[in-house]
Amino acid sequence: MKSAFLLSLSAAALAASGALADEIRVLNWQGYGTDIDWAVKAFEEATGHTVVHEYFNSEQEMLTKMRTNPGAYDVVLVNAIYNPQATAEGLLSPIDPAGLENFVGIPAEFAGSAMLNEGGALHGVPWTWGVTSFAVNTQAFDTVPDTLEVLWDPAHEGRVSVRDDAVEAMQIGALATGQDINDIRDLEAVRAKLEALLPQLRTFWGSENDWNQFMAAGEFDVSTYWSGSAARSAAMGLPVEFVVPKEGAIGWLDSLAVPASSEHKEAALQFIDWMIDPEFYVGWDAEGAPASANGEAAAALDESAFNRRVLGDPEVAARVQFQAPIDDGTRREYLEIWQALKAVQ
Amino acid sequence: MADLETPAERRRLFTLLSPAYLWLTVAVFLPLSAMLFFSFLTDMPQDAPDWGVTLGNYAEFLTNPTYATLLRKSLTLAFTVTGFCILIGYPCALVLAKSIKGRSREALFLMVILPFWSNSLVRIFSWAIVLRGNGVLERAVNWLLPFDVRLNLMFTTDAVVIGLVHSYLPYVILTSYLALQAVDDDLIDAARSMGASKLTILRRILLPLSLPGLLAGAVLVFVPVVGSFMEPRILGGRMGTYYGTVIEDQFVAVYNWPLGAALSFILLAVVIAILAAASPVLKRAQT
């Protein structure tokens, strides 16, 4: 891995005095990009820093670990929904993008995300993103539809599926009724829309594995799905095509952040810079990666790659509505509506 | 109990019973009382420092009609499943206890309890494979019959009933079998010698004498089916929302443990009320 970037990184590391051999500790989901062997090795060779990983199993656990172990982590994966809370609690350190060589490739809608810029300063580097929308069985369609209304199409009655999740269902309903997913004003319209959707359903799906089995058995024509999972299902040979319809889709964004208590901030930023490097991303995408938040990284992919063809299109990205934090009260209200609809089936 | 008056005997009784009571306290009483406590809270103490005591979770059941609808749906399901279990299980037990003797009885008995040895989730998923469109059942029927048949059983209430009946049938067979086996064959011979028909023997001798076993089996089926959530969720598809699935949602989807606990205790109260209403029948069966 002798690239221009890594060489320049090593040169920078050599020039910096006294920061030669830091051990940086990364807190992330297991198997989620930062702990790929070849990438870590290349980084360690280029900079002299060593990388140690620790894992969490839920976002709550990630926050708890940062709160209770100050100084233990240097790079933490924080979903954008949790950035405002973590920043407000003083857990995250502000990041100066000028120190990141690859930051220029990140488009303004990610870099300027209100969730990452709590208090006016950047507290997390946009890293990966994905969308919840729907996928179709290409054998059931002559042309791939471009509208969410296909879920309500009587021609596919009994061949439709959604995930049994109140928040996701309500947000799909909000998109279909032309509303903001983070501020659903007309709940009655969403309720009525979902009421009309339920008779269309074959069943609910729960996990990616579930979805693949139902699709392979030919139970679904069209079903809500996640972009990253759709890329994997297609790679497995299932006849599926992921659609970001004209009504929009639900987006999520993961960021890499530096805890305020980190003692190796310089080295942490070098690692983050490598993580948003197009060269790293091309290698990761070959092993199955979510979409990169760095536009240059997406552009570096092969033209047929899912993350470039579907999500790399700026017009598609512009249609995505990014999920904001949801408070418990709203969550309960959504669940009540969803349960009431399911109860009368 | 009048013969247990001496202190030594009382002490021995206490020592012998204490493991059982200890077990009941640790395994049943403590978890249940913790849940009862949670059901009166506004929030879980570890999540919200400003938690308080409330009756709101119980009031929620009364104000939101969804829960009553689902409870009715779950009770209907439980009565249906129990009914089918009795209709299928009692004749099976009768044949096992009175018509088949020796080796073949043991073999058949093994076949009855064999499903019990597999994980219930595995059983339900096997039913999913059998029932689904173009699944094992549909192919078999189409192979036997000349015309095309579309059963479309998967993701219907029927599928839930089939899966649950299969899961709980062994309870009815086992309890009825034990009760029927205890009926003295001489009684049946005597009745037959006096000219009683087979139906009369069943109605006047076998059924009354084995009723305690049959009812015990019915209760064993009814209680878990009212609160079932896994089988409806997998086999019922969009029809599979029941009272149990809503309680599960409160615990795993929205982390509203207090409401989940309150809904569980309402279910417990309803089940106890039903059993209490049925108790005159149960008592008569025992005498």
Side-chain angles (χ1 to χ4, degrees), chain A:
Chain A
M1 304 296 302
K2 287 268 189 264
S3 74
F5 170 69
L6 284 174
L7 279 176
S8 71
L9 247 191
S10 51
L14 281 170
S17 57
L20 264 183
D22 280 338
E23 181 186 274
I24 56 167
R25 304 182 69 92
V26 179
L27 184 64
N28 191 358
W29 304 95
Q30 187 157 12
Y32 191 36
T34 57
D35 55 358
I36 299 174
D37 270 343
W38 59 260
V40 169
K41 204 172 283 168
F43 175 76
E44 290 181 343
E45 274 171 14
T47 60
H49 304 311
T50 48
V51 180
V52 180
H53 271 85
E54 199 170 310
Y55 303 108
F56 58 82
N57 294 305
S58 71
E59 260 104 7
Q60 287 306 329
E61 187 186 340
M62 175 268 295
L63 290 173
T64 310
K65 281 191 158 163
M66 271 205 285
R67 285 182 200 128
T68 51
N69 308 330
Y73 311 108
D74 305 298
V75 176
V76 180
L77 177 105
V78 186
N79 185 288
I81 286 181
Y82 293 88
N83 272 70
Q85 188 190 350
T87 308
E89 286 184 36
L91 293 172
L92 303 180
S93 135
I95 292 169
D96 179 11
L100 299 167
E101 210 170 294
N102 293 305
F103 195 83
V104 289
I106 297 176
E109 62 260 34
F110 288 140
S113 157
M115 289 185 279
L116 299 182
N117 289 282
E118 180 84 5
L122 187 71
H123 283 87
V125 177
W127 184 41
T128 51
W129 67 286
V131 301
T132 302
S133 178
F134 68 89
V136 297
N137 183 338
T138 48
Q139 290 167 348
F141 289 87
D142 294 330
T143 53
V144 175
D146 67 342
T147 166
L148 207 50
E149 285 301 318
V150 69
L151 293 169
W152 281 266
D153 184 348
H156 300 286
E157 189 186 340
R159 320 262 319 145
V160 179
S161 182
V162 296
R163 193 161 74 95
D164 189 5
D165 179 280
V167 173
E168 203 170 292
M170 290 296 288
Q171 292 184 336
I172 294 279
L175 287 173
T177 52
Q179 302 192 62
D180 180 351
I181 62 164
N182 295 314
D183 182 21
I184 306 178
R185 295 276 170 83
D186 191 354
L187 282 172
E188 179 48 36
V190 174
R191 202 198 63 79
K193 194 76 184 163
L194 291 178
E195 191 173 25
L197 177 65
L198 280 164
Q200 289 279 103
L201 299 185
R202 180 87 178 119
T203 184
F204 301 106
W205 61 278
S207 65
E208 185 176 328
N209 182 42
D210 247 17
W211 198 94
N212 285 338
Q213 284 186 0
F214 285 133
M215 207 41 124
E219 302 268 12
F220 301 161
D221 285 351
V222 48
S223 167
T224 61
Y225 208 26
W226 301 316
S227 57
S229 306
R232 277 190 291 275
S233 300
M236 274 170 55
L238 289 174
V240 296
E241 178 75 34
F242 191 77
V243 181
V244 180
K246 57 185 182 200
E247 291 89 349
I250 306 159
W252 54 265
L253 176 63
D254 274 341
S255 77
L256 291 172
V258 180
S261 57
S262 161
E263 285 155 12
H264 312 290
K265 292 199 171 97
E266 195 81 11
L269 286 178
Q270 283 179 4
F271 185 71
I272 292 177
D273 206 7
W274 168 229
M275 281 294 118
I276 56 173
D277 190 71
E279 187 189 328
F280 161 73
Y281 182 66
V282 170
W284 187 20
D285 188 65
E287 299 172 18
S292 173
N294 185 346
E296 283 175 12
L301 295 177
D302 191 76
E303 263 183 44
S304 63
F306 174 82
N307 283 326
R308 176 170 174 189
R309 188 167 49 88
V310 182
L311 299 183
D313 184 349
E315 263 191 23
V316 167
R319 287 206 294 272
V320 174
Q321 294 189 30
F322 280 86
Q323 232 174 5
I326 300 173
D327 63 79
D328 283 350
T330 312
R331 205 177 277 276
R332 278 177 199 174
E333 194 181 1
Y334 288 178
L335 185 74
E336 257 175 44
I337 295 173
W338 183 233
Q339 276 178 343
L341 285 172
K342 289 195 300 172
V344 294
Q345 293 301 307

Side-chain angles (χ1 to χ4, degrees), chain B residues 128-151:
Chain B
I129 294 171
V130 172
L131 295 176
R132 72 162 185 242
N134 202 18
V136 178
L137 186 66
E138 209 168 277
R139 277 191 212 180
V141 170
N142 279 322
W143 183 74
L144 283 171
L145 299 173
F147 44 89
D148 198 35
V149 183
R150 287 271 158 266
L151 292 170

Side-chain angles (χ1 to χ4, degrees), chain B residues 45-276:
Chain B
Q46 69 262 33
D47 298 338
D50 56 340
W51 61 277
V53 178
T54 175
L55 282 172
N57 298 313
Y58 290 91
E60 178 78 27
F61 176 85
L62 298 174
T63 50
N64 189 338
T66 305
Y67 301 121
T69 313
L70 287 172
L71 187 58
R72 220 170 16 247
K73 204 173 153 193
S74 280
L75 288 172
T76 315
L77 177 75
F79 279 116
T80 316
V81 169
T82 312
F84 276 111
C85 280
I86 291 173
L87 278 181
I88 302 169
Y90 191 75
C92 285
L94 193 60
V95 170
L96 267 176
K98 294 295 169 205
S99 306
I100 296 169
K101 298 265 183 293
R103 262 281 160 75
S104 50
R105 177 195 282 183
E106 278 167 32
L108 280 172
F109 210 79
L110 191 71
M111 283 169 74
V112 169
I113 56 173
L114 209 59
F116 252 25
W117 296 354
S118 65
N119 181 290
S120 57
L121 199 62
V122 173
R123 266 179 278 156
I124 294 302
F125 271 115
S126 343
W127 272 112
I129 294 171
V130 172
L131 295 176
R132 72 162 185 242
N134 202 18
V136 178
L137 186 66
E138 209 168 277
R139 277 191 212 180
V141 170
N142 279 322
W143 183 74
L144 283 171
L145 299 173
F147 44 89
D148 198 35
V149 183
R150 287 271 158 266
L151 292 170
N152 245 335
L153 274 173
M154 191 63 184
F155 307 130
T156 59
T157 313
D158 295 341
V160 180
V161 172
I162 291 173
L164 284 168
V165 167
H166 175 249
S167 287
Y168 290 103
L169 190 58
Y171 285 115
V172 173
I173 298 186
L174 285 177
T175 54
S176 306
Y177 170 80
L178 289 175
L180 281 165
Q181 219 192 11
V183 177
D184 198 336
D185 281 347
D186 292 343
L187 278 176
I188 299 165
D189 288 340
R192 200 177 293 144
S193 73
M194 287 189 280
S197 70
K198 278 188 176 161
L199 202 66
T200 312
I201 295 175
L202 177 69
R203 201 165 49 82
R204 301 285 302 275
I205 301 174
L206 287 173
L207 205 53
L209 287 174
S210 64
L211 201 56
L214 182 63
L215 287 174
V219 170
L220 281 179
V221 175
F222 183 82
V223 174
V225 169
V226 183
S228 62
F229 57 92
M230 181 265 284
E231 295 88 348
R233 180 154 286 185
I234 295 172
L235 296 174
R238 75 185 177 89
M239 317 299 278
T241 303
Y242 285 88
Y243 198 72
T245 55
V246 171
I247 294 176
E248 190 203 7
D249 279 343
Q250 297 300 337
F251 279 98
V252 304
V254 284
Y255 307 106
N256 193 352
W257 280 39
L259 181 57
L263 292 176
S264 306
F265 276 98
I266 290 168
L267 178 63
L268 187 65
V270 169
V271 168
I272 289 175
I274 290 173
L275 294 184

